[in-house]
């Protein structure tokens, strides 16, 4: 038995860089910040027309939750024409069942689900400590196998320096040299103790949209996330469990008031992790 779920999908239109200078704080938050994804007993989703990414949160509590098809997709199942990465981002142990096969997940686990998968179900091992599942999905024209990667798996890259407060461990999981996908690229980055900056120096990649989900923040902490064109930057104050959509023309970096981890995911023209256009710190405005 599964929980009866009504799952509306918020749809956001794409935006152009020349719109940003005239936006208020609320305008910026409405267009780029994705709050409230994780609610016990619910599946919540946001669809952005920037590379047609879908960001979704599922928190199965007393009963498992099924992944809906969502009317805006106009498909019989969610993954009929899509692929997805599912990340366990907090709470107790859980499982994701794909077409009858269960994949046990703990915090930090990543499950890639290929195009064409049918029934997908989220469940928690302990309803008193429900798992939080974060899903990022992109359109797909090819099918790849469903693969589970554990919390320590993936290609690990050590980046940054403690002297510049950006020492961090980056795990590439779904990428051209790891778990295969059609166009989705996804990983998890953890900042080292004493470091606060992520992705600095900042960059853009005009061929891909990227989304950051910030997790592991105390309730009274925030990440100051920088977005916009390098010559016209703006900022958002981001809380635990909130995501930011970064269009291809936007920088994406941030600094936290406490330790945090973030899930990064992108899709677009290619899967080359290093295909980016760097922005010198001294050139940011």
């Amino acid at each position: 038995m599964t929980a009866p779920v009504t799952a509306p999908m918020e749809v956001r239109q794409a935006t152009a860089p020349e719109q940003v200078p005239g936006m208020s704080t609320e305008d910026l938050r409405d267009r780029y910040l994705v709050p409230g994804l994780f609610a016990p007993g619910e599946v919540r989703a946001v669809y952005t027309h920037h590379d047609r990414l879908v960001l979704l949160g599922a928190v199965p509590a007393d009963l498992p939750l099924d992944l809906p098809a969502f009317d805006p997709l106009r498909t019989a199942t969610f993954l009929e024409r899509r692929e997805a990465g599912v990340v366990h981002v907090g709470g107790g142990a859980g499982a994701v069942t794909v077409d009858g096969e269960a994949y046990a997940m703990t915090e930090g686990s990543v499950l890639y689900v290929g195009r064409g998968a049918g029934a997908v179900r989220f469940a928690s091992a302990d309803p008193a400590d429900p798992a939080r599942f974060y899903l990022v999905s992109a359109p797909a024209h090819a099918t790849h196998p469903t693969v589970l990667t554990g919390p320590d798996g993936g290609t690990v890259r050590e980046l940054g320096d403690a002297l510049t407060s950006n020492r961090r461990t980056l795990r590439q999981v779904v990428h051209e040299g790891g778990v295969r996908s059609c166009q989705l690229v996804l990983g998890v980055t953890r900042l080292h103790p004493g470091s606060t900056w992520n992705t600095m120096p900042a960059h853009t990649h005009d061929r891909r949209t990227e989304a950051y989900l910030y997790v592991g923040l105390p309730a009274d902490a925030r990440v100051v996330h920088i977005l916009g064109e390098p010559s016209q930057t703006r900022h958002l104050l981001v809380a635990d469990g909130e995501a930011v959509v970064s269009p291809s023309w936007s920088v994406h970096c941030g600094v936290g008031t406490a330790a945090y981890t973030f899930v990064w995911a992108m899709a677009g023209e290619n899967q080359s992790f290093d295909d980016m256009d760097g922005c010198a710190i001294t050139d940011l405005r």
Side-chain angles (χ1 to χ4, degrees):
M1 183 178 181
T2 58
V5 175
T6 300
M9 172 181 278
E10 180 186 348
V11 177
R12 298 188 183 184
Q13 300 302 316
T15 54
E18 57 265 26
Q19 294 176 258
V20 172
M23 288 184 182
S24 67
T25 297
E26 287 307 310
D27 291 335
L28 291 168
R29 294 177 71 85
D30 288 345
R31 285 161 175 78
Y32 305 117
L33 185 67
V34 183
L37 280 176
F38 303 102
E42 294 186 37
V43 174
R44 295 184 175 182
V46 172
Y47 177 110
T48 172
H49 280 280
H50 287 289
D51 284 303
R52 301 186 181 276
L53 289 180
V54 173
L55 310 184
L56 180 149
V59 186
D62 295 331
L63 295 171
L65 296 171
D66 285 334
L67 178 62
F70 297 104
D71 184 64
L73 301 181
R74 295 294 197 271
T75 53
T77 62
F78 183 87
L79 294 166
E80 181 178 315
R81 297 194 296 262
R82 289 182 157 269
E83 60 186 352
V86 182
V87 187
H88 186 306
V89 295
V96 178
T97 301
V98 181
D99 289 331
E101 183 171 354
Y103 298 87
M105 299 180 68
T106 56
E107 187 170 350
S109 300
V110 177
L111 179 68
Y112 170 78
V113 187
R115 186 192 72 164
V120 177
R121 179 173 295 173
F122 305 98
S124 295
D126 179 3
D129 186 20
R132 296 201 304 174
F133 295 103
Y134 173 61
L135 180 150
V136 182
S137 173
H141 60 265
T143 300
H144 294 279
T146 295
V147 177
L148 175 65
T149 302
D152 298 319
T155 301
V156 176
R157 302 176 83 172
E158 297 293 342
L159 303 173
D161 194 308
L163 294 177
T164 49
S165 302
N166 66 350
R167 182 69 172 159
R168 58 202 189 274
T169 298
L170 181 148
R171 291 172 52 218
Q172 296 170 281
V173 180
V174 182
H175 67 114
E176 59 184 355
V179 176
R180 295 296 306 277
S181 68
C182 177
Q183 65 160 327
L184 186 68
V185 180
L186 182 148
V188 181
T189 296
R190 177 184 57 81
L191 271 70
H192 288 209
S195 286
T196 54
W197 281 99
N198 70 69
T199 324
M200 182 59 82
H203 61 264
T204 62
H205 28 70
D206 203 39
R207 290 148 295 281
R208 294 192 300 266
T209 294
E210 187 159 9
Y212 281 8
L213 174 78
Y214 291 102
V215 294
L217 279 164
D220 60 350
R222 295 292 184 269
V223 171
V224 182
H225 182 96
I226 298 172
L227 74 158
E229 291 187 291
S231 61
Q232 289 278 347
T233 60
R234 299 292 186 270
H235 70 272
L236 295 171
L237 273 293
V238 185
D240 179 72
E242 295 184 335
V244 180
V245 175
S246 297
S248 59
W249 44 262
S250 175
V251 296
H252 34 278
C253 60
V255 59
T257 63
Y260 61 95
T261 296
F262 65 102
V263 180
W264 48 269
M266 48 192 167
E269 287 292 330
N270 63 44
Q271 294 181 299
S272 175
F273 182 82
D274 295 313
D275 178 16
M276 59 185 72
D277 300 308
C279 306
I281 294 173
T282 54
D283 291 336
L284 296 175
R285 296 290 184 269

